[in-house]
Amino acid sequence: MDRVPLNRSVVTERGAQLADATGFDSLSLAALARSFGVQTPSLYSHVKDLADLRDGITALALGELAANIGDAIAGRSKKDALVGFAAAHREYSTDHPGRW
């Protein structure tokens, strides 16, 4: 199996995927390291600690949600825009429960 080169972005994205699968509160650096086939200390070059990883996941989620909302409300106004805004939130929370 080829190892994925680790960087902050790769570690954060995989952490977000694990959060979606197991829950944000269940996320651990040990589980994240296992998913890459590395030891936990290998992650400390990319994230300071679990809180830093969670902050990164939160920032990732907010960016993704903002992009989804932008797409959903583009060209819409008033009630139609509000419906698109709500639908984007609902879809994101359904697709990414751990990030939500």
Side-chain angles (χ1 to χ4, degrees), residues 4-91:
V4 175
L6 299 182
N7 60 48
R8 183 170 177 84
S9 178
V10 168
V11 169
T12 301
E13 179 61 37
R14 178 73 60 89
Q17 292 168 357
L18 286 176
D20 287 341
T22 64
F24 191 78
D25 292 335
S26 298
L27 184 63
S28 72
L29 290 176
L32 181 59
R34 276 192 304 276
S35 78
F36 286 113
V38 300
Q39 297 295 316
T40 303
S42 299
L43 299 179
Y44 291 118
S45 297
H46 312 290
V47 293
K48 287 190 282 187
D49 53 22
L50 183 57
D52 186 37
L53 174 63
R54 288 181 172 165
D55 287 347
I57 293 169
T58 299
L60 172 68
L62 289 172
E64 291 172 340
L65 181 58
N68 290 356
I69 290 169
D71 291 344
I73 66 173
R76 296 178 171 191
S77 64
K78 299 182 182 180
K79 183 179 177 183
D80 195 33
L82 185 57
V83 169
F85 179 86
H89 270 92
R90 184 176 52 249
E91 182 179 329

